[in-house]
Amino acid sequence: EDCDKTPIAEPKGEANNEVADAILVVSLRKELEEALGNLRAKEDLLNKVKVKTKAYVSELKEGKKKLEESLESKVFELEGMKKAVADIKSKAKSTVLALREERDSLISRSR
């Protein structure tokens, strides 16, 4: 019966295991905090890249729009030039025909 009253002492091996477990938990927590810090830094970097990419895409779209407008203007200009050239050709043809008629008329009069 005396044996029942004495407290049961923990074996030393279990106490060492608890200390080792506590050290492991602290170590793992530190590693997780570092990993989380790295992830946050990478997330910040990714967000900065996203912002710069959006700005670059907007810049490209604006440049494309200006280029398209410029091309439309040049096409309109070229169409105007094409019409002017056609008008000049038509006038030149009319002038050549009129000159031929006048020449033929002068030739026939001189005979």
Side-chain angles (χ1 to χ4, degrees):
E1 288 183 23
D2 286 337
C3 292
D4 292 337
K5 293 182 181 175
T6 56
I8 300 173
E10 287 186 4
K12 287 189 177 182
E14 278 187 40
N16 285 341
N17 285 343
E18 286 180 17
V19 170
D21 288 347
I23 291 171
L24 182 61
V25 166
V26 169
S27 175
L28 288 174
R29 179 174 286 154
K30 184 178 178 183
E31 285 181 35
L32 285 172
E33 287 172 356
E34 285 178 22
L36 184 60
N38 289 339
L39 283 173
R40 286 187 180 137
K42 288 179 181 178
E43 184 179 26
D44 289 345
L45 184 60
L46 182 62
N47 287 335
K48 288 176 185 175
V49 168
K50 283 181 183 178
V51 167
K52 286 184 179 184
T53 301
K54 282 183 181 180
Y56 184 65
V57 167
S58 293
E59 197 176 301
L60 285 175
K61 284 181 180 178
E62 185 63 30
K64 179 185 174 190
K65 183 179 175 185
K66 286 181 181 178
L67 234 141
E68 287 173 345
E69 290 171 357
S70 175
L71 284 174
E72 286 175 11
S73 169
K74 295 294 179 193
V75 165
F76 183 75
E77 208 176 295
L78 286 172
E79 286 173 351
M81 289 178 172
K82 186 178 176 182
K83 187 179 182 299
V85 167
D87 290 346
I88 291 169
K89 276 183 167 180
S90 175
K91 287 179 184 176
K93 197 173 190 179
S94 297
T95 303
V96 166
L97 289 174
L99 287 173
R100 283 184 185 158
E101 287 178 18
E102 191 175 330
R103 179 197 66 190
D104 292 346
S105 169
L106 288 173
I107 290 173
S108 63
R109 277 191 219 158
S110 66
R111 289 185 185 172

